Amino acid sequence: MDNYTVVIRSVNNSEKFKKAIESVCAQSISADEIIICIPNDAIEWSVAHSNVKFVHSTKGMVSQRFEGIFASKNKYILLLDDDIDLDTDVAKKMLHEMERNKVQCIVPYWPELWPKSLFSKIFLSVWGIAIPKASGGIQYTPSGGFFYPTTNENVHCVETEGGNGAVLLIDKDFLIAKKIEPDFELELVSPYAAREDAAFIMSFIKQGGKALMVSGLMFQHLEGTTKSVSNADFIRIKGQVVNQFLFWRKYIFPRYKNNLFNSILSILCLFWHYIGFFVISLLLSLRKTSHLPISGFFSGIFNLIIK
């Protein structure tokens, strides 16, 4: 089995990062290279492992991920967020499935992503944002929303169009050969780049690659290492509004544009999707007694109109 690189995008030496790096170093198959990609203005810190190196980039989920990828030396790259605590055999299982199935991308089956309460499941389904289905991987709707599987995690592996990029194994040789490049446009509103995981995985599929969603990859999501800011709701909603359109325009609408009926359907579905965004933003503002969520929605719409 080939060697592999781990790339972690981070901003600081938090306790959650320390757990993440320890879990990487405890893998049953050791990475011969660990790259920590941090913003240009961040100061490197001491890591007690000889195969760790730091690289710097513009701050952003897209920028830091690709800077780490381009700095790596191996064909297989395990991409991680800095708040992931892996079980010891995650890398081994992902590498095995990558080689066995001859695919270019592996993501974990991760039910944490799906809506939890009955209300949220019905609500998000009505607006076409997240719709349950019986089985299979993630599939995108004409609006750029997604169908998600309701099968349990004992299903071994299925082809998918998406997944959460907090834990992601890719084939760098395919990325380079197909000239898959960073989509910096997704960072224009916020460095946290809503939909960037979806766009990254879809960029492989668009170039003829395949992605698999694999069950049995156990890890703990430690819920973020960055500090919250006072206008976080505004930035988050605005970023989702803007980047939803960018994702739809680049990866979803091209599937439908060659047929007049289908293209009109896709546009109408996107419009309905945005009505759902508006309702969600309004409800958040009412629940939090804050103008920030609904202001973020309208700011995102204004951003799309003027551009």
Side-chain angles (χ1 to χ4, degrees):
M1 184 175 290
D2 289 342
N3 293 324
Y4 71 101
T5 297
V6 174
V7 171
I8 304 174
R9 48 190 180 188
S10 188
V11 294
N12 55 48
N13 188 24
S14 67
E15 289 302 314
K16 293 176 182 178
F17 169 83
K18 292 174 183 177
K19 288 184 179 181
I21 195 72
E22 288 300 325
S23 74
V24 167
C25 294
Q27 290 300 295
S28 58
I29 297 180
S30 298
D32 67 334
E33 179 182 51
I34 301 172
I35 295 174
I36 304 167
C37 192
I38 59 177
N40 289 323
D41 60 354
I43 299 173
E44 296 179 13
W45 55 87
S46 176
V47 180
H49 303 283
S50 60
N51 59 343
V52 173
K53 70 176 182 179
F54 285 85
V55 298
H56 292 259
S57 82
T58 303
K59 182 178 180 180
M61 302 294 271
V62 175
S63 299
Q64 288 176 241
R65 167 170 282 169
F66 271 86
E67 196 69 33
I69 290 171
F70 293 146
S72 67
K73 66 182 182 181
N74 289 313
K75 171 183 173 69
Y76 295 134
I77 305 176
L78 179 57
L79 301 167
L80 298 175
D81 286 351
D82 63 353
D83 58 351
I84 296 296
D85 185 1
L86 301 171
D87 274 13
T88 56
D89 61 351
V90 168
K92 178 181 179 180
K93 289 179 178 178
M94 294 182 85
L95 288 164
H96 172 74
E97 295 300 339
M98 179 79 87
E99 294 193 333
R100 185 173 74 89
N101 292 283
K102 307 302 180 186
V103 296
Q104 291 72 45
C105 185
I106 298 284
V107 298
Y109 176 86
W110 195 8
E112 179 182 327
L113 293 173
W114 322 145
K116 299 296 187 296
S117 69
L118 180 61
F119 173 79
S120 64
K121 290 177 181 179
I122 295 173
F123 185 86
L124 295 175
S125 181
V126 165
W127 299 108
I129 296 172
I131 305 170
K133 64 173 185 172
S135 61
I138 295 289
Q139 289 181 308
Y140 291 110
T141 70
S143 72
F146 61 93
F147 294 98
Y148 62 92
T150 56
T151 49
N152 64 45
E153 59 185 297
N154 292 324
V155 176
H156 182 54
C157 60
V158 291
E159 196 165 335
T160 188
E161 292 184 339
N164 192 296
V167 181
L168 181 64
L169 182 69
I170 66 161
D171 181 340
K172 180 187 176 182
D173 290 352
F174 182 86
L175 179 143
I176 297 298
K178 297 297 183 178
K179 300 180 180 179
I180 296 173
E181 297 181 347
D183 190 349
F184 296 122
E185 196 173 12
L186 295 172
E187 291 180 343
L188 293 179
V189 172
S190 165
Y192 300 108
R195 303 309 306 264
E196 65 92 11
D197 290 339
F200 184 63
I201 295 169
M202 281 295 288
S203 67
F204 279 76
I205 294 170
K206 190 175 181 179
Q207 294 298 327
K210 289 186 178 181
L212 283 186
M213 181 177 285
V214 177
S215 66
L217 303 174
M218 307 304 295
F219 58 91
Q220 183 180 3
H221 187 206
L222 304 175
E223 298 294 343
T225 63
T226 55
K227 296 179 180 179
S228 61
V229 294
S230 59
N231 64 340
D233 285 336
F234 177 89
I235 296 172
R236 179 172 56 84
I237 296 295
K238 181 178 180 179
Q240 289 174 343
V241 168
V242 173
N243 286 8
Q244 174 66 25
F245 177 78
L246 297 178
F247 177 72
W248 173 84
R249 186 190 70 192
K250 294 177 182 180
Y251 299 101
I252 304 302
F253 186 65
R255 296 176 166 182
Y256 300 94
K257 67 179 183 179
N258 293 327
N259 179 283
L260 179 60
F261 174 81
N262 288 337
S263 62
I264 293 173
L265 174 65
S266 182
I267 292 168
L268 291 175
C269 287
L270 181 68
F271 181 73
W272 185 249
H273 193 118
Y274 274 109
I275 295 176
F277 269 175
F278 168 76
V279 174
I280 291 170
S281 303
L282 180 61
L283 292 175
L284 282 174
S285 283
L286 292 173
R287 182 168 65 86
K288 296 186 174 185
T289 60
S290 167
H291 68 89
L292 291 175
I294 195 66
S295 296
F297 174 83
F298 283 114
S299 180
I301 294 296
F302 181 73
N303 182 285
L304 292 175
I305 291 172
I306 63 175
K307 292 186 177 181

